[in-house]
Amino acid sequence: MESADLKRLGLKVTHPRMKILELLETSEARHMSAEEVYKALSNAGEEIGLATVYRVLTQFETAGLVIRHYFENGRISVFELAETAHHDHLLCVKCGKIIEFSDNIIEERQKVIAEQHGFSIKDHCLYIYAECTDYKNCEYYEQYLQNQ
Amino acid sequence: MESADLKRLGLKVTHPRMKILELLETSEARHMSAEEVYKALSNAGEEIGLATVYRVLTQFETAGLVIRHYFENGRISVFELAETAHHDHLLCVKCGKIIEFSDNIIEERQKVIAEQHGFSIKDHCLYIYAECTDYKNCEYYEQYLQNQ
DNA sequence: ATGTATGCAAAACATTTGCACCTGG
DNA sequence: CCAGGTGCAAATGTTTTGCATACAT
């Protein structure tokens, strides 16, 4: 992603926007809340206000650059770079690990179901909540506990 | 649903609890926010505090009596009686109409996908956002506009 | 009687907004 | 230069909580 991409979207290439984009691209976590983005930038010495983080992420969402998720139980929303193709999510409720997947059979059935009811499908989200086999040894577990 | 059911769940049979349960059972809307429940009760002359509505609905959720949904875009959650079997939701983004459906093929695929990743599935939710063919004449449209 | 529930008001929480100042093109 | 972007603080909307009172058993 480069400054030209922002320009193309009609957004000025500002420092906060570039830094947020950069973070989303380089961060290990593919899904981050506004607060997490804010803190990560803060830790990196970037003084970018939380309000700006929200504004920029919302603009990116509108521009189709990021996807915003409202995972169940969570009042907070998380953002993900929209660089990859559509996918759904499989989440471990114990360690917070998130697996992305895509299944043609499910996608196809959804279309059929919508049609059967006379609806034209615009969007959908499928979240599978599960337990991974070995969450205690999972790389995410410790970090997850901290956030609880 | 009767007072015995509440007792069985270890909940005292109080006036607010009975009224909320009654409302969820008799209301036309199968999905209601806490605020909507509060207002409906208020209109019916019941003086039940909003905090109580939240507390009771949360207890009902814990007891498995109701299901709480966090529909996309919505910061508010809606509650639904858990009396019927599991189902997913097809929502019209124009009029707010909600269709409940269940599809064995989708359910089955989810199990397979979870297993493939070594996860044991606990729960899931699938929301399909769509447009219904004739939302302007839809019975829900007017009411929906008011709430916007 | 006593442990639980309730109502109210205040707090908490994520998110948005108003406004004065700053900055990219 | 100036429209648009930013930071801060204040506002918002939903949900939760503390506490004194009321109620179910």
Side-chain angles (χ1 to χ4, degrees):
Chain A
M1 193 75 55
E2 306 185 9
S3 56
D5 295 293
L6 285 181
K7 278 207 190 98
R8 191 165 27 79
L9 297 168
L11 296 172
K12 276 188 186 172
V13 181
T14 64
H15 183 71
R17 285 184 184 148
M18 287 308 284
K19 283 297 167 189
I20 291 173
L21 208 44
E22 210 173 276
L23 175 67
L24 290 176
E25 283 172 333
T26 60
S27 168
E28 292 177 36
R30 276 200 36 79
H31 303 80
M32 299 182 81
S33 66
E35 189 76 35
E36 283 166 350
V37 168
Y38 172 73
K39 280 187 187 152
L41 291 170
S42 194
N43 291 340
E46 299 292 339
E47 310 218 330
I48 298 174
L50 182 55
T52 299
V53 171
Y54 274 106
R55 272 187 290 234
V56 169
L57 286 173
T58 303
Q59 289 159 347
F60 284 0
E61 186 195 9
T62 305
L65 229 55
V66 307
I67 296 169
R68 185 175 190 150
H69 293 288
Y70 304 83
F71 291 141
E72 209 86 343
N73 311 325
R75 309 247 38 74
I76 73 168
S77 41
V78 297
F79 300 83
E80 151 184 35
L81 258 191
E83 57 191 358
T84 59
H86 163 77
H87 53 258
D88 292 309
H89 295 83
L90 172 60
L91 305 93
C92 176
V93 295
K94 292 289 188 184
C95 73
K97 180 162 50 183
I98 302 174
I99 305 273
E100 303 177 340
F101 70 90
S102 181
D103 186 82
N104 286 332
I105 297 175
I106 291 180
E107 299 289 320
E108 202 44 53
R109 282 303 291 166
Q110 291 186 46
K111 248 183 240 153
V112 171
I113 289 162
E115 276 166 21
Q116 279 175 351
H117 288 90
F119 283 55
S120 69
I121 199 166
K122 290 287 171 235
D123 192 16
H124 75 266
C125 59
L126 168 59
Y127 302 129
I128 303 181
Y129 301 95
E131 264 179 36
C132 72
T133 19
D134 197 23
Y135 61 84
K136 281 187 185 166
N137 299 317
C138 170
E139 52 188 316
Y140 299 87
Y141 193 48
E142 197 177 326
Q143 188 193 339
Y144 179 74
L145 287 180
Q146 280 176 11
N147 296 332
Q148 296 312 297
Chain B
M1 193 75 56
E2 304 184 11
S3 55
D5 294 293
L6 285 182
K7 279 207 188 97
R8 190 163 29 77
L9 297 168
L11 296 171
K12 277 188 184 171
V13 181
T14 65
H15 184 71
R17 285 183 184 149
M18 289 306 286
K19 284 296 167 188
I20 291 173
L21 208 42
E22 209 172 279
L23 175 68
L24 290 175
E25 284 172 332
T26 59
S27 168
E28 292 178 36
R30 276 199 37 79
H31 303 80
M32 299 182 83
S33 66
E35 188 77 33
E36 283 167 350
V37 168
Y38 171 73
K39 280 188 187 152
L41 291 170
S42 193
N43 290 340
E46 298 291 339
E47 310 217 331
I48 297 175
L50 182 55
T52 299
V53 171
Y54 273 105
R55 274 187 290 234
V56 169
L57 287 173
T58 303
Q59 290 159 347
F60 284 0
E61 185 195 9
T62 305
L65 228 57
V66 307
I67 295 169
R68 185 176 190 151
H69 294 287
Y70 303 84
F71 290 141
E72 209 86 342
N73 314 322
R75 308 247 38 75
I76 72 166
S77 40
V78 297
F79 300 83
E80 152 186 33
L81 257 191
E83 59 190 354
T84 58
H86 163 78
H87 53 258
D88 293 308
H89 295 84
L90 172 59
L91 304 93
C92 177
V93 295
K94 292 289 188 184
C95 73
K97 179 162 51 184
I98 302 174
I99 305 273
E100 302 176 342
F101 71 91
S102 181
D103 185 80
N104 286 331
I105 298 175
I106 291 180
E107 300 288 320
E108 202 45 54
R109 282 303 293 166
Q110 290 186 46
K111 248 182 240 153
V112 172
I113 290 162
E115 276 166 21
Q116 279 174 352
H117 289 90
F119 283 55
S120 69
I121 198 165
K122 291 285 170 237
D123 192 16
H124 74 265
C125 59
L126 168 59
Y127 302 129
I128 303 181
Y129 300 95
E131 264 179 36
C132 72
T133 19
D134 197 24
Y135 60 83
K136 282 188 183 165
N137 298 318
C138 170
E139 53 189 314
Y140 298 89
Y141 193 48
E142 198 177 327
Q143 187 194 339
Y144 179 74
L145 287 180
Q146 281 176 10
N147 297 331
Q148 297 311 298

